[in-house]
Amino acid sequence: TEEEVRATVARLPDKQRAAFELYAFEDRSYDQIAAALGIPKATVGTRILRARRKLREMLTSDRGES
């Protein structure tokens, strides 16, 4: 559910969480996120990619799947 995803996002490392929330929940572009966080656009992409991987891992383990 969306509630499960949001709760799991809250458990991400701060830098990943900040970028992911702006992208996924506020529909911001990479350029907008980079400006808001004061980081390069490429770093935004890296943080979002890592956040997605970590989320998938956490949601899968939370559900007891392999």
Side-chain angles (χ1 to χ4, degrees):
T1 68
E2 182 178 341
E3 192 173 290
E4 286 175 308
V5 172
R6 285 186 182 270
T8 306
V9 168
R11 294 170 31 209
L12 287 170
D14 290 342
K15 291 178 179 181
Q16 291 177 14
R17 181 187 44 73
F20 187 82
E21 285 180 338
L22 290 170
Y23 179 75
F25 301 143
E26 296 186 23
D27 200 29
R28 303 261 190 107
S29 70
Y30 280 27
D31 287 325
Q32 291 171 326
I33 296 167
L37 298 179
I39 59 175
K41 184 178 174 180
T43 302
V44 171
T46 300
R47 288 183 185 176
I48 290 172
L49 176 66
R50 288 179 179 163
R52 284 179 173 160
R53 287 180 181 161
K54 186 71 174 170
L55 276 172
R56 186 177 308 117
E57 177 185 307
M58 291 188 317
L59 287 168
T60 300
S61 69
D62 286 352
R63 292 181 178 147
E65 299 171 9
S66 56

